[in-house]
Structures are given as C-alpha cells and as structure tokens.
C-alpha cells in the first residue's frame, strides 16, 4: 500500500506511480531520467534518486545498469479496462430525473465519503485566490457593476477566454462567445437552438447524467452510441445513425468523457467532422475537462480541427478547475444566426449573468495564476486516480474492470454482472459512503452493474478507507449472489 506522502521524495514517487497506473508510462517504457525529474519537479538529484529507490522497492520501476530506469512489466494495473459499450441502437425518450433525484441529494452532502459528485475539493480549487479578486472588484467596482450587462456577458472575460482558446488552435473572437451559467446553461442553450421537441440527439454511452437531464427537459430523444473507454464513440455506429436514422444533432465530449474518461484521438475527430459535414448534422461539443490532461498536450477540441466549419457549437466552463460556485461557463459559435438565437433565449430565460463575478474572473485569468494552478491540480488528480485504482484492485470483487482516464478526475468501474449498484448504493450510504450508480449515466438500463467514483478530493485516509469499504461491500454482494446461484442448483 502506498504511504500518505510525508516527504517530497514520496510525493514524487506517488506522481510517477500515478503515471504508471493511468497508462501514461507504459510497462517496459523508459522512465524520465533523474535529471529530468529533478528539473521538472524542482527537487534535488538526491531527492529524485530517493523517489526512484522507493519505486524500485515497490516494484514499480526497475533500474537497468548503464541505461536508466524502466517501468516494471508487472507494475501495470492488473484489472482490465471496460470493453466498448453496447447500447440498444434505438432512439428513445429520456426519463432520467427519478433515477437522479436520490443520488444527487447525497453526492453533495459532506457527511458522506465524497466519491459521488465530480466536484474538486475546496483545497484543490484556487478559491482563496479567486475570492481575493472578487473582494477587490467589489471594493473598487461594486457600485458600477451592480446592473445588467449585455446578454453576451463581460467583454473582458470573453477576451480572456478567446485568448486561451488560441493556444489550442481555436481562433475565436469575443463576439463568438456568450458567457453562461456554467457549462450546463451553454449546453441547454445549444440544444435549444438546433433542435425541436421530439428530435433525436446522438450521445456517448455512458454519458454525463446532466446532459440526459437537459435532453429530458427539452423533450428530446437520445440515441446512445457504442463508446470505447479509451477512444470514444464507434465511428461506424455514428455513420449508421446519421445515414439510417437521419440524426441531425450530436452531443459529444471533446475530451475525457464523464464517466469513462475516454478521449477521442484527433484523427477520429476529423472523421467525425467529415461524417457530420456529409450528413449536414450539427455537433455540440462539451469540453469541460479539456484543461485536465495528464499527457504532454491538451486534447484538441473539434472546433479547432476545422476552423471553417459552421456546424460546431462549443461549450465549456471553469467549474472543474477553479470554481463550480461562480457558475462561469461559455458557449461559442462562429455562426451569426446561432449566436442570435442563443442571445434571444438567454434574454428570455436569464437576461444576463452577474457582471461582478465575471469581472473578477477575468482579472483572475489575466493575472496568469490559472496555468500554475492547472499544473498543480492535474498532478493531484492523476495521483488520486492512480491511488484509487490500486485501492479498487485490492478490495473490489474479482472480475471488476476499471477505466484508465488520461485526464479529468473520475473512474468508471464495471463490476461482475451479479452486483446491482443501485442496491450497493443504499448499503454504501448506511456506511457513510456516496458514489454514483451506473444507471444514472444512460437511459438504456445497461449499466446496473457499473458505478462512477470521483477522484476530486486529494488522496487521504478517509477516501482510502471509503474505497476499501465500498470494495468489500461489493465483494460481499458478489459472494451472496454466487451462493444464491449455487443453492438453487
Ligand atoms: C461532462 C460535463 N458537462 C457539463 C457539466 C456541468 O458543468 P457546470 O457545472 O459548469 O454547469 C459537468 C458537471 O459535472 C460535466 O461533467
């Protein structure tokens, strides 16, 4: 078992072990040199060496004379990743709210071990720094900003967002952006401008339950596509639904789908765009997790891959990286008619967002602290994902499969079919633990033996005990159903 880090060398060791657990460093591959580690992590060579010795003791790395350190072949997680999903392939009306109401109530309740809501802990968010910008804005500009803004939102914030988008290749003007109340409002606006009640929207399976809730509220049908836990949706299935079902709207994640963590490679994204252009369909992309990547580069959003496309609406927010409570998200489109419809709806539903929060956020972004902050939380999330995967391996029943996300901060578990995670949820609550049962992520009813764990809180004793206990409850449920099966024979 990995110790809770007390010393810097332990932290560095945990970081490398996290890279191995998540598959970023593959078994047999060369580990970064001691010199690289010392430079990247700003530690002395002797601290880097101490970290590597610890990893050798744990069997994660092997030293090869004259050649450096390599990832030991047995260091990889033994649990298999989930297989590609297999939803029914039919469009169906969405009814998800009853499933969600109970789950949501507990996932924000601090009395439970927080494996439920995908919400980073307050310590990991840059809350204090951001609050200082808000206090200053309130002191110096409070009166002048206590009014309505234009529905697009504060120009300075839109400029900051457009500046950041340039870095990953999206040329946006502030005029292409409307500030929303989180990514959720961006997605609801986007859906409402390109669909009518009764239309069908193609989605990943499993997918984030909030998206299902929006489809339900807008009277839309969902058509779930087979989705691979590493590479995302199956392209031939997409072609079929565009061709045969006449689907005109797709709602996909640009990076690290919630809950699988899958990340579609750019070459597949280009194929998706070619298909959508051919069948004249619109893509709404949800890039909320794009900044939380563990590899060397940020995943490229669809919009950046085809700057001339006029059938892509981009949605994102800062809820997963900085401040879910500030509710700052945005929708971007390069199509004037779509922007016009979005603004009309925005005016109809909310008039405009709170300008003071938007100004404070713009100042926070322009102060340059966001990138440092991102580096810190990426490391923390990756470490927790690695540690949690190991704890799952130690405690969950044989046959459990676990995702290998290369970004974001959730794990998707597929348990043996006999374990019903809705029942496990009730048992977990009695033991003070919350997680999200699999059926919240689909309307197909096919994920009754799956669950999602949040890694949004740094690794600590409470979380570790919670995961181990949950694994034991799941193992006991699997054993009970095995006994029942044999006693019937
Ligand atoms: C994939 C995805 N999209 C959108 C949202 C909603 O984001 P926001 O809180 O910014 O509205 C979430 C929140 O969990 C999410 O996971």
């Amino acid at each position: 078992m990995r110790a809770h880090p007390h010393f810097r060398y332990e932290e560095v060791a945990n970081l490398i072990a996290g890279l191995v657990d998540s598959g970023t460093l593959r078994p047999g591959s060369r580990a970064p040199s001691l010199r690289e580690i010392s430079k990247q992590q700003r530690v002395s060579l002797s601290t880097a060496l101490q970290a590597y010795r610890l990893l050798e003791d744990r069997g994660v790395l092997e030293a090869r004379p004259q050649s450096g350190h390599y990832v030991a072949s047995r260091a990889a997680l033994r649990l298999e990743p989930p297989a590609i999903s297999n939803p029914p392939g039919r469009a169906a009306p969405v009814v998800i709210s009853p499933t969600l109401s109970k789950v949501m109530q507990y996932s924000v309740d601090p009395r439970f071990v927080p494996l439920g809501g995908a919400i980073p802990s307050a310590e990991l968010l840059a809350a204090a720094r951001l609050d200082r910008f808000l206090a200053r804005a309130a002191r110096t500009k409070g009166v002048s900003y206590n009014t309505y803004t234009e529905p697009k939102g504060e120009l300075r914030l839109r400029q900051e967002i457009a500046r950041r988008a340039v870095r990953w290749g999206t040329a946006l003007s502030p005029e292409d952006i409307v500030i929303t109340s989180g990514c959720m409002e961006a997605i609801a606006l986007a859906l409402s401008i390109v669909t009518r009640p009764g239309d069908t929207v193609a989605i990943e399976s499993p997918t984030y339950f909030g998206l299902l809730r929006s489809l339900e509220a807008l009277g839309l049908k969902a058509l779930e596509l087979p989705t691979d836990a590493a590479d995302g949706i199956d392209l031939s299935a997409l072609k079929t639904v565009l061709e045969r079902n006449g689907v005109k709207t797709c709602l996909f994640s640009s990076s690290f789908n919630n809950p699988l963590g899958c990340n579609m490679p750019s070459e597949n994204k280009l194929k998706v765009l070619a298909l959508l252009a051919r069948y004249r369909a619109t893509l709404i992309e949800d890039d909320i997790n794009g900044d939380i990547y563990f590899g060397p580069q940020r995943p490229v959003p669809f919009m950046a891959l085809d700057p001339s496309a006029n059938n892509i609406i981009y949605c994102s927010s800062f809820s997963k990286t900085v401040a879910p409570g500030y509710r700052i998200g945005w929708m971007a489109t390069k199509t004037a008619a779509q922007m016009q419809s979005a603004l009309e709806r925005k005016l109809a539903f909310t008039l405009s967002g709170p300008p003071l929060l938007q100004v404070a956020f713009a100042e926070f972004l322009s102060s340059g602290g966001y990138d440092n902050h991102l580096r810190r939380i990426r490391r923390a999330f990756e470490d927790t994902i690695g540690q949690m995967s190991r704890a799952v391996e130690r405690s969950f029943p044989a046959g459990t499969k676990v995702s290998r996300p290369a970004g974001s901060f959730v794990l998707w578990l597929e348990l043996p079919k006999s374990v019903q995670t809705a029942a496990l949820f009730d048992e977990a609550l009695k033991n003070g633990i919350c997680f999200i049962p699999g059926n919240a992520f689909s309307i197909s009813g096919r994920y009754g033996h799956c669950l999602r764990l949040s890694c949004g809180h740094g690794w600590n004793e409470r979380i570790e005990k919670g995961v181990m206990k949950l694994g034991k409850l799941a193992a006991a449920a699997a054993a009970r159903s095995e006994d029942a099966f044999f006693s019937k024979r």
Side-chain angles (χ1 to χ4, degrees), residues 118 181-184 187 208 211 258 286 288 317 319-320 327:
S181 177
C183 191
M184 235 29 267
I187 286 166
Y208 167 53
L211 308 186
N258 173 1
D286 176 350
I288 195 166
S317 80
S319 302
K320 303 295 166 186
R327 309 302 301 131

Side-chain angles (χ1 to χ4, degrees), residues 283-439:
L283 172 66
I284 301 172
E285 62 170 320
D286 176 350
D287 196 22
I288 195 166
N289 289 315
D291 282 342
I292 312 173
Y293 54 93
F294 307 145
Q297 267 157 6
R298 189 193 194 287
V300 183
F302 288 93
M303 196 178 238
L305 289 170
D306 186 357
S308 63
N310 61 4
N311 61 339
I312 303 173
I313 304 181
Y314 177 95
C315 303
S316 191
S317 80
F318 294 105
S319 302
K320 303 295 166 186
T321 50
V322 189
Y326 275 56
R327 309 302 301 131
I328 293 198
W330 68 99
M331 190 203 95
T333 170
K334 293 185 188 161
T335 307
Q338 284 178 349
M339 178 54 82
Q340 187 54 33
S341 310
L343 294 179
E344 278 157 18
R345 280 162 176 76
K346 177 95 189 163
L347 279 168
F349 295 137
T350 55
L351 274 186
S352 65
L356 195 59
L357 288 181
Q358 295 179 10
V359 170
F361 213 92
E363 286 180 5
F364 166 74
L365 288 177
S366 72
S367 77
Y370 184 54
D371 289 300
N372 266 339
H373 166 69
L374 283 178
R375 276 192 282 279
R376 192 171 65 89
I377 59 167
R378 282 184 202 124
R379 274 204 300 269
F381 289 148
E382 182 165 26
D383 181 51
T384 306
I385 283 181
Q387 308 251 27
M388 202 176 284
S389 307
R390 293 274 176 218
V392 166
E393 187 166 70
R394 291 197 300 273
S395 60
F396 275 70
T400 297
K401 297 178 178 174
V402 64
S403 60
R404 309 280 200 282
S408 86
F409 54 93
V410 293
L411 279 177
W412 179 250
L413 269 59
E414 219 177 273
L415 273 52
K417 285 245 156 66
S418 60
V419 181
Q420 283 306 304
T421 54
L424 183 65
F425 179 70
D426 290 332
E427 225 181 317
L429 287 182
K430 284 187 206 138
N431 285 273
I433 303 161
C434 186
F435 66 89
I436 310 276
N439 274 340

